[in-house]
Amino acid sequence: MTAATRLRPSDADLAALRAEVRAFLRTELAAGRFEPVSDSWMTGFDGDFSARVAAQGWIGMTMPTEYGGHGRSPIERFVVTEEMLAHGAPVAAHWISDRQMAPGILANGTEVQKARYLPAIAAGERFFAIGMSEPDAGSDLAGVRTRAVPHDDGSWTITGTKVWTTGAHLADAMVLLARTDGGPDDRQRGLSQFVVDLPHPDIEIRPLRSIDGAEHFNEVKFHDARVGADALLGVRGQGWAQVMGELAFERSGPERYLSTMPLLRAWADLLRTTGATPEQRKTLGMLTARAWALRRMSLAVAHELDAGGRPDVLAAMVKDVGSTFEGDLVEAVRTSSGTVAARGGHDPFARLLAASVLHTPAFTLRGGTNEILRGIVARGMGLR
Ligand SMILES: Cc1cc2nc3c(=O)[nH]c(=O)nc-3n(C[C@H](O)[C@H](O)[C@H](O)COP(=O)(O)OP(=O)(O)OC[C@H]3O[C@@H](n4cnc5c(N)ncnc54)[C@H](O)[C@@H]3O)c2cc1C
């Protein structure tokens, strides 16, 4: 179903959907099935929760029904993701698959790949990792050195190392960017994408411990790993263009300003009970105003996606401003709340604050650093 043929949801439809999602989350919370955390889309990995979200029809929402999706609009998906994030729900298991792998496979995959992966993504049964960054290719993604060499039967041997690969130790598959043709000087030319099923006997996945002691991301080594001809995603040599399309989805969502919203909500709830000083009220008001402005910007991205556009520049701008806001929010609550952050204590607010502080350094790095995003914005404005 295209943007042109799909019926636009009315404001009443969107409000009804929002009420449904909130009721679902209230039930989950009341049953003690999750504790709200900041950054839940990155670290709240809970396959059972994802299966229950899928059962509501809230994964693969914008995918066509013939592939197990629900043929709904990006704005409806925005409503669901916004509520999940604001409640700090454990959505990490399906986040990457739903956000960028499903659209990527839909746009570039063969019918066999679509049938193999898309219904399982929509059912909340198949989770993906992103295999872009390497030890010497982060911001400079065109510098990837992982190499895929073809064999006569069409299969490939992949050799190289990826790093920062979120959730690879728990994922069922990874979409990988590798060089298939030319050398490092060819830069964006000669890159291709692959869908690689995990685990694989010749792919070593080593979790990297982050500052909070948890293992969210990994180093992934391909020791001459053989994959079938059917692993190539899209067109050989067109990996750069495909990855740019994928990054547009990766950068465009409300998770780029809502990661720490559970902390703001929890603080507002606390102040409602304990009473707020004028200074605290002012801080709360300023943070809320910034969040609201970001929401308008993020919605503009969703509307442009809904209209079939590719809002790369606007998305880069929202991610730059949004991820800066996420960190500012944590710092403002930390300094204004009077609570001492404590990771292991009995106070849920102190725990939430501690986790938010420890996650802050990642906000402006992942998905492209703010310096890189500003470069995209500058080029989009025609600056050199
Ligand atoms: C929590 C987290 C999860 C991640 N998950 C994934 C994942 O699942 N899959 C994946 O592929 N990657 C993932 N990444 C990697 C992420 O995309 C990279 O960290 C990011 O692109 C930066 O690359 P780098 O770390 O190599 O830093 P570098 O590229 O080495 O950059 C170092 C510094 O130099 C600056 N810099 C670099 N080039 C320029 C330039 N041209 N102009 C101005 N400044 C510049 C950068 O802004 C940065 O401050 C994750 C990162 C984090 C923090």
Side-chain angles (χ1 to χ4, degrees):
M1 206 177 292
T2 64
T5 56
R6 194 180 46 230
L7 276 179
R8 273 182 179 270
S10 65
D11 287 350
D13 293 335
L14 295 177
L17 175 60
R18 190 178 297 283
E20 252 182 82
V21 183
R22 285 186 179 173
F24 168 82
L25 289 168
R26 263 198 308 276
T27 306
E28 291 284 314
L29 278 168
R33 295 201 191 108
F34 76 90
E35 178 177 313
V37 289
S38 286
D39 221 13
S40 67
W41 63 274
M42 187 64 112
T43 58
F45 197 106
D46 180 344
D48 293 337
F49 181 82
S50 292
R52 292 195 293 279
V53 173
Q56 301 292 321
W58 295 335
I59 301 182
M61 284 181 81
T62 60
M63 272 188 336
T65 48
E66 61 263 40
Y67 297 117
H70 302 281
R72 299 180 82 168
S73 65
I75 300 298
E76 287 166 295
R77 182 174 178 275
F78 184 94
V79 166
V80 172
T81 53
E82 189 180 40
E83 290 299 327
M84 294 283 169
L85 295 165
H87 284 81
V91 289
H94 67 265
W95 197 261
I96 288 170
S97 325
D98 182 51
R99 175 182 69 189
Q100 65 199 82
M101 297 321 176
I105 292 170
L106 190 62
N108 304 308
T110 61
E111 279 309 314
V112 173
Q113 287 168 332
K114 289 180 194 176
R116 180 170 164 75
Y117 295 110
L118 297 182
I121 289 176
E125 291 168 355
R126 201 172 270 244
F127 309 128
F128 274 75
I130 307 167
M132 293 187 201
S133 305
E134 297 187 2
D136 294 315
S139 302
D140 184 22
L141 188 58
V144 295
R145 293 185 186 164
T146 295
R147 186 130 208 143
V149 177
H151 297 278
D152 290 345
D153 65 356
S155 65
W156 300 82
T157 293
I158 303 174
T159 311
T161 302
K162 295 285 169 184
V163 77
W164 293 105
T165 322
T166 302
H169 55 314
L170 302 167
D172 305 292
M174 169 195 278
V175 171
L176 173 83
L177 182 67
R179 179 161 292 288
T180 48
D181 301 278
D185 290 346
D186 288 301
R187 307 281 299 158
Q188 290 88 349
R189 288 191 301 273
L191 299 175
S192 303
Q193 280 191 303
F194 293 85
V195 194
V196 178
D197 290 333
L198 298 174
H200 182 294
D202 299 316
I203 301 177
E204 183 189 352
I205 299 176
R206 192 171 67 88
L208 302 172
R209 188 154 298 169
S210 50
I211 195 171
D212 62 356
E215 293 171 347
H216 307 302
F217 41 71
N218 304 270
E219 180 186 63
V220 181
K221 289 192 167 175
F222 294 77
H223 299 291
D224 298 338
R226 191 87 172 233
V227 297
D230 56 353
L232 180 69
L233 177 64
V235 180
R236 177 173 171 174
Q238 290 300 311
W240 186 257
Q242 292 176 202
V243 128
M244 288 302 114
E246 193 187 314
L247 277 173
F249 284 104
E250 181 171 342
R251 292 174 175 158
S252 62
E255 69 269 37
R256 300 306 182 175
Y257 76 99
L258 284 176
S259 300
T260 52
M261 191 50 61
L263 181 67
L264 187 62
R265 285 170 57 107
W267 190 42
D269 285 346
L270 195 66
L271 292 181
R272 216 170 276 131
T273 321
T274 60
T277 64
E279 200 52 40
Q280 287 174 325
R281 262 202 295 274
K282 187 173 147 198
T283 303
L284 191 60
M286 279 168 58
L287 292 171
T288 307
R290 280 177 73 184
W292 196 252
L294 275 158
R295 181 171 189 269
R296 301 299 303 171
M297 292 168 75
S298 191
L299 260 171
V301 175
H303 278 293
E304 202 168 321
L305 284 173
D306 198 19
R310 233 181 86 169
D312 301 5
V313 173
L314 185 55
M317 204 183 295
V318 181
K319 184 180 176 305
D320 176 16
V321 184
S323 59
T324 304
F325 166 72
E326 292 177 327
D328 290 352
L329 188 163
V330 175
E331 187 56 10
V333 174
R334 189 184 71 78
T335 52
S336 307
S337 65
T339 299
V340 177
R343 290 180 57 209
H346 294 297
D347 176 1
F349 182 71
R351 280 203 304 272
L352 180 57
L353 180 59
S356 306
V357 169
L358 293 176
H359 282 236
T360 295
F363 300 153
T364 55
L365 292 176
R366 60 192 181 192
T369 67
N370 284 20
E371 289 77 17
I372 295 303
L373 297 171
R374 286 168 202 168
I376 294 172
V377 173
R379 279 192 298 280
M381 292 169 72
L383 302 177
R384 288 176 169 270

